Amino acid sequence: MENKRPIGIIGAMGVEVRALLDAMEETGQERFAGLVFHVGSLSGAPCVIAQCGEGKVNAAVCAQTMILQYAPRLVINVGVAGGVGLNIGDLVVASACVQHDFDATPMGYPLGNLFLYRDEGEPEQRIELPADGAAAALLLEEAQAIYGGAYSGIVATGDQFVADKAKNQWLHETFGAKAVEMEGGSIAQVCYMNRTPFAVLRAISDNADGGSPVDFPAFTQECAAKTARLLTQALGRL
Ligand code: SAH
């Protein structure tokens, strides 16, 4: 039955999934590729939660394994991100994800242009991978009450921690990004290829411009607690 399929939740760092694991009723766990998949429920809604590790490859391995092993009906990526024109403490719910470091421009392709072999024949070319509209809308609505500012927008992903004013501005101008991080766009691509709906929730932990004053670990923990609250409330409605 469709609604018995779990919702998958992936966070890169331990601190990003710990509060969710504490809130979940765990019925079992399995290990694949060194990653631990916690199976159970959150507020009665079946879910599987995993920590993938930082970066695009770790995130892709986790998302693909989760899809093959648990057939989630929705994958939600949670975590922190650098803000592009936003304030620390705000939340971005992805409308779509891009991979800002995917660069075949010398071959004449626009920056971030992905080659997607989901269907037969020539690969589909896309820069933006759209998140599930209904899930994003519901998560945004729930988030308004918990976060100072909750916004829908483009999440830009790459295998680099961005802490540079010029790069931050470039992310805004090139992709219209609101947040920059290291996993969302990779999970989005895996989900797109598998026709699995996805959502990305990112709390802004730093300004991604070299002038981040916050204590990153402490702040991430605070954000994770809020995300756990948000998902505990929202999961039953998704
Ligand atoms: N665990 C290590 C490394 C963290 S890398 C540590 O804490 O020191 C940064 C992580 O936070 C990634 O998972 C990334 O998705 C997210 N992130 C937060 N701010 C970011 C930024 N400005 N640029 C890129 N990723 C960022």
Side-chain angles (χ1 to χ4, degrees), residues 14 17-26 38 42 49-51 228:
V17 294
R18 207 160 297 133
L20 282 160
L21 292 175
D22 287 345
M24 110 184 274
E25 274 186 47
E26 188 169 327
H38 302 263
L42 253 183
I49 303 179
Q51 180 196 342

Side-chain angles (χ1 to χ4, degrees), residues 7 74-78 91-94 131-147 150-151 198-201 227 230-235 237-238:
I7 290 178
L74 171 73
V75 172
I76 306 176
N77 174 222
V78 299
L91 181 86
V92 177
V93 180
D132 183 75
L138 196 146
L139 289 166
L140 187 63
E141 186 195 314
E142 293 275 357
Q144 314 277 8
I146 297 178
Y147 288 85
Y151 304 94
F198 73 90
V200 177
L201 291 177
T227 307
L230 167 61
L231 286 185
T232 307
Q233 280 167 216
L235 227 60
R237 295 179 61 203
L238 284 166

Side-chain angles (χ1 to χ4, degrees), residues 30-37 51-52 61 65:
E30 290 182 289
R31 188 182 274 266
F32 302 104
L35 303 172
V36 182
F37 293 81
Q51 180 196 342
C52 67
V61 168
T65 305

Side-chain angles (χ1 to χ4, degrees), residues 44 55 184 199 229:
R229 215 168 97 208

Side-chain angles (χ1 to χ4, degrees), residues 135-191:
L138 196 146
L139 289 166
L140 187 63
E141 186 195 314
E142 293 275 357
Q144 314 277 8
I146 297 178
Y147 288 85
Y151 304 94
S152 165
I154 303 286
V155 171
T157 301
D159 276 328
Q160 47 192 256
F161 190 94
V162 174
D164 178 79
K165 237 189 180 89
K167 181 109 197 184
N168 190 305
Q169 182 65 19
W170 173 85
L171 285 165
H172 167 68
E173 284 162 8
T174 313
F175 299 105
K178 278 203 165 64
V180 57
E181 40 82 297
M182 300 172 70
E183 299 84 22
S186 163
I187 292 169
Q189 183 173 348
V190 171
C191 288

Side-chain angles (χ1 to χ4, degrees), residues 113-133:
N113 183 80
L114 302 171
F115 302 95
L116 300 155
Y117 291 82
R118 184 167 79 163
D119 299 304
E120 278 180 39
E122 289 303 306
E124 184 186 354
Q125 293 183 38
R126 266 185 176 275
I127 297 174
E128 293 185 6
L129 298 165
D132 183 75

